[in-house]
Amino acid sequence: AAVDALGAADQRRRGAIAEFESLRGEQKGLGKQVARASGEEKATLLSRTRQLSAAVKEAEARTQQTGADYDRQLRALPNLVADGVPVGGEDDFTVLETHGTPRDFAAEGFEPRDHLGLGQLLGAIDVERGVKVSGSRFYYLTGQGAELELALTNFAMASAIRNGFTPIIPPALVKPEAMEGTGFLGQAAQDVYHLPDDDLYLVGTAEVPLAAYHSEEILDEAALPLRYAGYSPSYRREAGSYGKDTRGIFRVHWFDKVEMFVYCAPDDAEAEHQRLLGWEKEFLTALELPFQVLDVASGDLGLSAARKYDCYSWLPTQHRYREVTSTSNCTDFQARRLNIRARFPAGTAPVATLNGTLCAMTRTILMLLENHQQADGSVRVPAALRPYLGGREALTPVR
RNA sequence: GGAGGUGUCGCCUAGCCCGGUUUAUGGCGCCCGCCUGCUAAGCGGGUUGAGGGUUUAUCCCCUCUCGCGGGUUCAAAUCCCGCCACCUCCGCCA
């Protein structure tokens, strides 16, 4: 029904444009005659152009009205779900792959501590003072915790650069157009921080400034795919998640993240999505975390994604897999809204945009702590991360 | 935050005071051709971008486009208002 209404709105819009163009053409022609004419002839012409002017204004108003109408209806529609996506809600995902094996702590003879307990032992996470200073769902990373985030950041960025990404440090405050264009002011709007005095939004992910980076641009097809790795803070109000994941730093109002973002030809989007997933898997494997790959169900895709793969890592103290990364193929949904096109042989057309988490700091940190903990409360550093921690093989308790 | 200035088709630039033969001037660059042992120079032509129509190989037609958005007017690059960006100076500041 919405699509039919959209078609009708498009017809009205096109009709109004055609009428306006024809009237305007006539007016321009007469205008030239007026400029040349004089005396009585000029007076006659002027009276005609006066009438025409009113008609042109009316037609122009109708063009704007029908155009805005069409645009509003179009933007309310979510992206089309890709073929093969499992149908259903949040719990109807399909598990595509399982990598690694969760540790058997019982066999090792000790009860695993949760990430908050480990964080306190290591002097790495200070939630109490986070709450004191900023409120619930805020934290300080201290000492080895801060070092760990810096190491993860550098490791993630180095990996991305090696894979051909251009590193970017983008602004974390953006104008409404950037937020709207990426699809975050729709059903996700209640989860977004807004600064009313300046009409700026705090981004929930670097996806926003990275997508808006090329807004209103026409890209060179030969330059595609354009791959960017953005490092930025992410701010989320987490409205409607009261009482959910309240312990530790699993669900917080702010965290830092290295995000991959790609602009590519629409025909290449599906293959690129697999590549993004591949880099995510590679990263989690390098961190020696057991994880699963989920094909997210249609009802859980959000406004902009046509398909979404989540990676869920094993969280020992919860005895289940929890989300650590997510990659979405947004096809041309964001590109249309942000007016990002490329010159293709068949003409200029919107590109496809895709995004994928490379490393969300807080969740990665808590996964590392829980999965690599030792009986004495120390935490083994996976080999791939050691170069970024001065060669250290373990984080050790400070008390 | 305050005062002043600037914004023109890749780059530079004329036009704005005084609205209409402006289809936005000229130069540079770029493209095509001529000339020429080769190259350069010289000569001739082309060159804002976007959307749509028609063809779909080219061509052709229409609309929009002088930072953005309004307004005045029969008619706006040109007059008026608002906004944005940049520059200079002052203030403040990691």
Side-chain angles (χ1 to χ4, degrees):
Chain A
V3 173
D4 286 347
L6 188 67
D10 189 34
Q11 284 301 312
R12 282 195 297 276
R13 181 184 65 110
R14 284 167 182 276
I17 289 171
E19 192 191 353
F20 167 71
E21 287 186 353
S22 124
L23 283 169
R24 186 80 175 101
E26 197 180 333
Q27 187 189 29
K28 279 184 94 171
L30 278 173
K32 273 177 207 165
Q33 290 180 45
V34 170
R36 259 173 301 209
S38 59
E40 204 175 309
E41 192 191 359
K42 185 160 184 166
T44 313
L45 286 170
L46 275 181
S47 74
R48 278 171 60 196
T49 50
R50 248 185 282 272
Q51 293 170 8
L52 200 52
S53 170
V56 166
K57 276 198 177 116
E58 206 177 301
E60 189 174 16
R62 205 161 31 243
T63 302
Q64 283 183 0
Q65 172 62 41
T66 53
D69 213 44
Y70 171 77
D71 197 53
R72 191 173 40 72
Q73 289 187 40
L74 183 66
R75 278 168 189 270
L77 294 178
N79 200 354
L80 295 171
V81 175
D83 289 340
V85 169
V87 175
E90 200 178 342
D91 302 322
D92 297 310
F93 56 81
T94 308
V95 177
L96 297 178
E97 303 167 18
T98 301
H99 295 262
T101 316
R103 275 168 69 186
D104 184 351
F105 286 95
E108 293 186 41
F110 74 99
E111 187 70 23
R113 297 177 168 90
D114 81 354
H115 75 273
L116 192 54
L118 288 163
Q120 283 164 350
L121 276 179
L122 299 170
I125 302 171
D126 188 340
V127 167
E128 282 173 26
R129 291 197 176 91
V131 170
K132 176 179 76 177
V133 173
S134 303
S136 67
R137 296 199 192 282
F138 283 95
Y139 59 94
Y140 284 73
L141 293 180
T142 54
Q144 299 182 100
E147 287 184 277
L148 190 52
E149 163 155 338
L150 292 172
L152 283 168
T153 304
N154 289 327
F155 177 40
M157 270 298 185
S159 307
I161 291 166
R162 183 164 28 81
N163 291 329
F165 284 77
T166 301
I168 296 213
I169 298 181
L173 270 67
V174 298
K175 297 192 214 175
E177 303 92 89
M179 220 60 187
E180 208 280 330
T182 40
F184 283 98
L185 293 187
Q187 59 210 46
Q190 81 287 345
D191 208 31
V192 168
Y193 285 105
H194 180 228
L195 304 176
D197 285 351
D198 304 281
D199 199 18
L200 287 172
Y201 290 88
L202 275 72
V203 300
T205 162
E207 172 190 343
V208 176
L210 291 178
Y213 187 60
H214 285 301
S215 59
E216 308 295 329
E217 291 182 23
I218 296 179
L219 307 171
D220 178 11
E221 188 199 11
L224 301 178
L226 285 169
R227 297 193 178 102
Y228 298 112
Y231 172 61
S232 84
S234 304
Y235 300 98
R236 303 182 178 187
R237 295 186 64 232
E238 294 296 344
S241 61
Y242 305 107
K244 222 169 153 185
D245 304 311
T246 50
R247 186 171 165 81
I249 57 170
F250 186 87
R251 191 177 297 279
V252 288
H253 287 311
W254 144 76
F255 58 95
D256 298 312
K257 180 160 61 69
V258 174
E259 177 82 4
M260 301 180 282
F261 193 90
V262 179
Y263 301 82
C264 73
D267 290 345
D268 192 33
E270 233 178 284
E272 183 68 17
H273 199 195
Q274 290 299 326
R275 286 190 280 271
L276 286 172
L277 178 60
W279 287 313
E280 291 185 350
K281 283 154 55 174
E282 196 177 279
F283 191 76
L284 293 174
T285 302
L287 294 180
E288 301 172 37
L289 296 172
F291 66 96
Q292 293 189 325
V293 178
L294 274 51
D295 196 351
V296 175
S298 54
D300 203 21
L301 286 178
L303 201 63
S304 56
R307 186 161 216 157
K308 186 194 281 191
Y309 300 118
D310 284 357
C311 289
Y312 275 44
S313 175
W314 180 256
L315 187 55
T317 58
Q318 292 191 8
H319 313 290
R320 57 177 172 148
Y321 290 92
R322 299 300 308 268
E323 181 180 344
V324 279
T325 68
S326 178
T327 177
S328 295
N329 177 2
C330 296
T331 62
D332 61 2
F333 181 84
Q334 294 175 332
R336 283 182 190 281
R337 299 168 150 238
L338 293 166
N339 199 21
I340 306 164
R341 292 165 293 173
R343 258 182 262 278
F344 298 107
T348 54
V351 298
T353 61
L354 302 96
N355 61 79
T357 319
L358 190 55
C359 184
M361 298 304 156
T362 44
R363 289 209 179 169
T364 306
I365 287 169
L366 72 88
M367 290 297 176
L368 287 174
L369 295 188
E370 291 208 11
N371 280 286
H372 298 325
Q373 63 179 297
Q374 317 292 330
D376 64 359
S378 66
V379 172
R380 187 177 63 81
V381 175
L385 199 54
R386 286 175 201 164
Y388 301 93
L389 277 169
R392 232 176 303 171
E393 295 186 8
L395 306 179
T396 50
V398 293
R399 52 182 154 172

